[in-house]
Amino acid sequence: MPTKTAARINTPPARPPLDTETASAALDPFASIFMGVLQSNDPLIIERGLNGSQAHELYRDLRRDGKVFAGLQKRKLAVVSRPWTVEPVSDDAAGNADAAVVSDILKGFAFDQLCNDLMDALLVGWQPAEIIWTLAPVAGARERVVPRRVVKRAHRRFVYLQEAGQPAALRLLTREHMQQGIALPERKFIVHRVNAEDDNPYGTGLGLQLYWPVYFKRKGVLAWTKFLDRFGLPIPWGKYPTSATPREKGTLFDALRAVSNDGMIMTPEGTMIELLESKLSGSGTPHQAHVEFMDDWIMEVILGQSPRGGSGGALAAAANERQDVRLELSQADSDLLSETLNATLVKWICELNGLAPCTVYRKVEAEEDTKATSESDLNVTQMGFQMTEEAVRAKYGEGWEKSANPPSAGANPANSFHTNLTIPASGSSNFAEAPHAHASTDQVALDDALDKMLADDALQQQMEQVLAPVFEQLQKENDPQAMLGWLAERFPDLPEDALQERLSQVLFAAAVWGRLHGKA
């Protein structure tokens, strides 16, 4: 007979409340709710006395700034430019077939344009869009319920209504219902939101962080323009005698205005005017530094891009870091957008057409370095392995087939420049020459020029002094890879491509010196 302690341990816990919200915004004593209409908790919107639907009007103006527009375009197009894929939740034959149907449906309208429109939520915090459904055949099959188009709608036309114990509901404002709006049909509107603090449906966009740098930048540009207007062009200065009559002063004024409409100065003779100039020195101006600082602030908010500066290795490291951060931002933007689409549009398509649940996603990753990949594949091949044709096409794309004349086993195409060049043994001074019968016209001309140089003893001595260390190293290292290592130590700042080119030059120069030295 089990003990009471064991019975208590085996008793399942009581279920928590299902499908209810205990701490909803409707019960928040600090929230401003009038007639059930929720307000945004964006502090800048609250300071301006606006509601959530009017936030778009405040932040929309930020797009007029070139830096803001360019940064947002980079964020949005970095996602939209990536290919998207539809996969079934259940990986079986029926699920894969339904996923292909959903993919065809998404291809039937401007799906990428929809993604681009929904990502406007990055700036404002939320973005509504309306689905216009229709009946249409898909891939030659029966008619299905599909989106004909999806239209981005203005924020000012919507509000969120909050009832106790229920999630906030999107409502459409009309002329007859300007306060609470009217209820919307189900499976009709998509809303993408970002950074929803305390589950506020209006979200919090980048406009909150971008408003002040754009504001200060505009003030700085205005002051800079006034500075250039005042000091960039000469100002006409007219002097009139102290006994001048008003008519004479008017004549002088008309003459000055004929010279310049932007500004002029009129003073009696003997009057002194001085300008107090700044003691700052340098090619830039405080206005330019101010505007550039604000631009750096804007780009760091949008792209996570660190301020400008640095050089050499620091600059290259900063560029790599920015690239990594941008890839992470793009993948995060894509994942959040996919969650919204999978919970709304894709889910509704599957439900309305009796299809298995599917998901759509985009994979954002850096472009593969095909040169490094091919070099790795070459090293693996030299170890005795061989790639299949399918593997080659999967990695390098279609259009590849096996060559009719494959290279010999162990051959290294990367070192083809060393094929006809033999490094001399110790004590020898001649390089083996390729057969003259197989030489090209350019090679014959080069040989003739070398033969004419053989009689120049001074030139031969100079070449011996310059190339003696290289020739000594070539005698020690009869391997191009070892020579690459030696060159890398001598030239640590050169990239790999430049080192390989330098090795080719060294081998050629050594071959020329060997011929001259051997025939002298």
Side-chain angles (χ1 to χ4, degrees):
M1 181 174 181
T3 63
K4 293 183 179 181
T5 304
R8 276 200 307 270
I9 294 177
N10 295 329
T11 300
R15 285 186 178 181
L18 302 178
D19 302 323
T20 59
E21 292 187 21
T22 303
S24 65
L27 302 178
D28 186 356
F30 306 100
S32 299
I33 301 179
F34 178 70
M35 296 181 65
V37 177
L38 272 176
Q39 304 298 322
S40 173
N41 57 5
D42 186 322
L44 186 61
I45 300 301
I46 297 174
E47 290 175 6
R48 294 296 184 273
L50 305 175
N51 58 40
S53 61
Q54 294 171 326
H56 177 69
E57 304 304 320
L58 177 66
Y59 293 142
R60 181 183 181 185
D61 182 66
L62 300 179
R63 288 195 183 94
R64 295 195 300 167
D65 183 87
K67 278 289 183 179
V68 173
F69 179 80
L72 291 175
Q73 285 294 99
K74 289 180 180 179
R75 283 281 294 267
K76 294 162 63 176
L77 298 181
V79 173
V80 177
S81 62
R82 306 290 178 167
W84 49 268
T85 304
V86 177
E87 289 187 351
V89 174
S90 177
D91 189 10
D92 51 27
N96 291 326
D98 289 348
V101 174
V102 174
S103 180
D104 291 336
I105 292 175
L106 297 182
K107 293 176 183 178
F109 70 101
F111 179 70
D112 283 336
Q113 182 62 50
L114 167 63
C115 296
N116 185 75
D117 292 341
L118 291 179
M119 287 192 67
D120 283 344
L122 288 173
L123 181 64
V124 183
W126 65 297
Q127 178 60 58
E130 180 182 2
I131 307 173
I132 290 85
W133 297 99
T134 188
L135 291 175
V138 178
R142 63 181 179 84
E143 287 188 340
R144 297 183 183 273
V145 181
V146 300
R148 181 162 59 89
R149 60 192 184 105
V150 184
V151 185
K152 180 175 68 172
R153 297 303 186 186
H155 302 72
R156 65 176 181 269
R157 302 179 59 188
F158 300 90
V159 294
Y160 274 94
L161 201 66
Q162 177 73 68
E163 297 180 0
Q166 298 296 327
L170 185 67
R171 310 272 290 193
L172 176 65
L173 298 178
T174 63
R175 291 182 176 89
E176 295 78 15
H177 302 84
M178 288 296 296
Q179 183 63 38
Q180 293 183 326
I182 61 174
L184 297 175
E186 294 185 358
R187 301 183 179 90
K188 183 66 174 174
F189 284 86
I190 305 172
V191 178
H192 180 52
R193 63 178 56 89
V194 295
N195 301 328
E197 299 180 6
D198 195 17
D199 198 29
N200 189 281
Y202 298 104
T204 305
L206 297 178
L208 175 63
Q209 287 77 28
L210 293 175
Y211 180 82
W212 291 114
V214 173
Y215 176 84
F216 292 132
K217 176 185 174 181
R218 288 174 177 172
K219 295 295 184 182
V221 171
L222 180 60
W224 193 2
T225 304
K226 290 182 177 179
F227 173 83
L228 295 176
D229 180 60
R230 179 175 297 178
F231 302 105
L233 296 174
I235 300 176
W237 182 8
K239 301 178 182 179
Y240 55 86
T242 56
S243 60
T245 64
R247 182 177 181 180
E248 292 173 338
K249 293 179 181 179
T251 302
L252 177 60
F253 178 79
D254 292 339
L256 294 174
R257 186 171 60 181
V259 174
S260 174
N261 289 325
D262 296 331
M264 63 195 73
I265 301 176
M266 286 179 55
T267 61
E269 290 182 347
T271 302
M272 179 179 295
I273 298 178
E274 294 183 351
L275 296 177
L276 298 179
E277 298 182 359
S278 173
K279 302 301 181 181
L280 296 176
S281 61
S283 58
T285 66
H287 308 90
Q288 179 179 354
H290 170 83
V291 172
E292 290 179 350
F293 177 80
M294 295 304 162
D295 280 342
D296 290 341
W297 185 353
I298 290 171
M299 297 309 290
E300 190 164 9
V301 168
I302 299 177
L303 300 178
Q305 178 175 316
S306 57
R308 70 190 76 200
S311 60
L315 183 62
N320 292 333
E321 181 182 0
R322 285 196 296 269
Q323 179 66 17
D324 294 340
V325 171
R326 286 187 59 184
L327 286 174
E328 293 172 358
L329 284 175
S330 299
Q331 185 63 68
D333 290 340
S334 176
D335 291 343
L336 293 175
L337 181 61
S338 296
E339 288 180 358
T340 297
L341 293 171
N342 291 329
T344 54
L345 177 65
V346 177
K347 178 183 178 182
W348 298 339
I349 290 175
C350 295
E351 291 176 347
L352 293 173
N353 294 282
L355 302 174
C358 299
T359 58
V360 63
Y361 73 96
R362 299 175 191 263
K363 188 174 182 180
V364 180
E365 57 186 6
E367 295 184 1
E368 186 178 5
D369 187 351
T370 55
K371 179 180 179 182
T373 303
S374 62
E375 291 177 352
S376 300
D377 292 341
L378 179 61
N379 293 334
V380 174
T381 302
Q382 291 177 346
M383 295 169 60
F385 297 91
Q386 182 178 357
M387 290 185 65
T388 63
E389 293 186 36
E390 292 77 8
V392 172
R393 293 193 183 98
K395 181 173 290 189
Y396 299 103
E398 297 296 330
W400 293 92
E401 62 181 11
K402 285 189 176 181
S403 174
N405 299 314
S408 58
N412 188 354
N415 301 326
S416 58
F417 60 87
H418 192 58
T419 301
N420 295 326
L421 183 62
T422 303
I423 305 298
S426 178
S428 174
S429 60
N430 290 322
F431 281 88
E433 301 178 13
H436 191 75
H438 299 286
S440 63
T441 305
D442 293 338
Q443 182 66 44
V444 173
L446 180 60
D447 291 341
D448 294 340
L450 291 176
D451 292 338
K452 294 179 182 179
M453 297 168 57
L454 295 178
D456 193 340
D457 296 335
L459 177 61
Q460 179 175 306
Q461 293 177 0
Q462 293 177 2
M463 292 182 67
E464 289 180 358
Q465 295 176 0
V466 173
L467 295 176
V470 177
F471 181 65
E472 181 180 355
Q473 187 65 25
L474 284 171
Q475 290 179 329
K476 296 178 181 179
E477 305 289 356
N478 192 6
D479 181 11
Q481 294 297 330
M483 279 297 299
L484 273 177
W486 179 73
L487 287 173
E489 295 178 358
R490 299 291 297 270
F491 305 98
D493 296 331
L494 283 180
E496 183 178 353
D497 294 342
L499 284 174
Q500 292 182 356
E501 182 179 358
R502 182 63 60 88
L503 177 59
S504 301
Q505 296 171 352
V506 165
L507 294 176
F508 174 75
V512 173
W513 178 73
R515 291 190 58 186
L516 291 174
H517 186 71
K519 294 184 179 181

